[in-house]
Short mmCIF file of all heavy atoms in Angstrom, two decimals:
data_model
loop_
_atom_site.label_atom_id
_atom_site.label_comp_id
_atom_site.label_asym_id
_atom_site.label_seq_id
_atom_site.Cartn_x
_atom_site.Cartn_y
_atom_site.Cartn_z
N GLU A 25 -65.03 139.61 -11.59
CA GLU A 25 -65.75 138.80 -10.60
C GLU A 25 -65.25 139.00 -9.17
O GLU A 25 -66.07 139.19 -8.26
CB GLU A 25 -65.69 137.33 -10.99
CG GLU A 25 -66.50 136.44 -10.09
CD GLU A 25 -66.44 134.99 -10.52
OE1 GLU A 25 -65.98 134.69 -11.63
OE2 GLU A 25 -66.87 134.15 -9.71
N PRO A 26 -63.95 138.99 -8.89
CA PRO A 26 -63.52 139.18 -7.49
C PRO A 26 -63.85 140.58 -6.96
O PRO A 26 -64.13 140.73 -5.77
CB PRO A 26 -62.02 138.95 -7.51
CG PRO A 26 -61.62 138.73 -8.90
CD PRO A 26 -62.83 138.65 -9.75
N VAL A 27 -63.85 141.58 -7.84
CA VAL A 27 -64.21 142.93 -7.41
C VAL A 27 -65.68 142.97 -6.99
O VAL A 27 -66.03 143.49 -5.92
CB VAL A 27 -63.92 143.96 -8.52
CG1 VAL A 27 -64.41 145.34 -8.13
CG2 VAL A 27 -62.45 143.99 -8.86
N VAL A 28 -66.53 142.41 -7.82
CA VAL A 28 -67.96 142.38 -7.52
C VAL A 28 -68.22 141.56 -6.26
O VAL A 28 -69.03 141.95 -5.40
CB VAL A 28 -68.76 141.82 -8.72
CG1 VAL A 28 -70.22 141.62 -8.37
CG2 VAL A 28 -68.62 142.76 -9.91
N ALA A 29 -67.52 140.45 -6.11
CA ALA A 29 -67.71 139.62 -4.92
C ALA A 29 -67.29 140.35 -3.65
O ALA A 29 -67.99 140.29 -2.63
CB ALA A 29 -66.90 138.33 -5.07
N ALA A 30 -66.18 141.07 -3.70
CA ALA A 30 -65.74 141.82 -2.52
C ALA A 30 -66.70 142.94 -2.17
O ALA A 30 -67.03 143.15 -0.99
CB ALA A 30 -64.33 142.38 -2.75
N LEU A 31 -67.17 143.66 -3.19
CA LEU A 31 -68.12 144.75 -2.93
C LEU A 31 -69.46 144.22 -2.41
O LEU A 31 -70.07 144.80 -1.52
CB LEU A 31 -68.33 145.57 -4.20
CG LEU A 31 -67.12 146.39 -4.66
CD1 LEU A 31 -67.41 147.04 -6.01
CD2 LEU A 31 -66.75 147.43 -3.62
N THR A 32 -69.90 143.09 -2.96
CA THR A 32 -71.15 142.48 -2.48
C THR A 32 -70.99 142.00 -1.05
O THR A 32 -71.88 142.19 -0.23
CB THR A 32 -71.55 141.30 -3.40
OG1 THR A 32 -71.70 141.79 -4.73
CG2 THR A 32 -72.84 140.66 -2.94
N GLY A 33 -69.85 141.39 -0.75
CA GLY A 33 -69.60 140.93 0.62
C GLY A 33 -69.61 142.08 1.61
O GLY A 33 -70.13 141.96 2.72
N ALA A 34 -69.04 143.21 1.21
CA ALA A 34 -69.02 144.37 2.10
C ALA A 34 -70.41 144.97 2.26
O ALA A 34 -70.82 145.32 3.37
CB ALA A 34 -68.05 145.42 1.56
N ALA A 35 -71.15 145.08 1.15
CA ALA A 35 -72.46 145.72 1.20
C ALA A 35 -73.52 144.84 1.86
O ALA A 35 -74.32 145.32 2.66
CB ALA A 35 -72.91 146.07 -0.21
N VAL A 36 -73.51 143.55 1.54
CA VAL A 36 -74.58 142.67 2.02
C VAL A 36 -74.25 142.03 3.36
O VAL A 36 -75.10 141.94 4.24
CB VAL A 36 -74.88 141.58 0.96
CG1 VAL A 36 -75.91 140.59 1.46
CG2 VAL A 36 -75.35 142.22 -0.34
N PHE A 37 -73.00 141.60 3.52
CA PHE A 37 -72.64 140.84 4.72
C PHE A 37 -71.78 141.61 5.71
O PHE A 37 -71.36 141.07 6.72
CB PHE A 37 -71.92 139.54 4.32
CG PHE A 37 -72.76 138.66 3.44
CD1 PHE A 37 -72.41 138.46 2.11
CD2 PHE A 37 -73.90 138.03 3.92
CE1 PHE A 37 -73.18 137.66 1.29
CE2 PHE A 37 -74.67 137.24 3.11
CZ PHE A 37 -74.31 137.05 1.79
#
Side-chain angles (χ1 to χ4, degrees):
E25 185 179 348
V27 175
V28 173
L31 292 174
T32 302
V36 176
F37 301 111

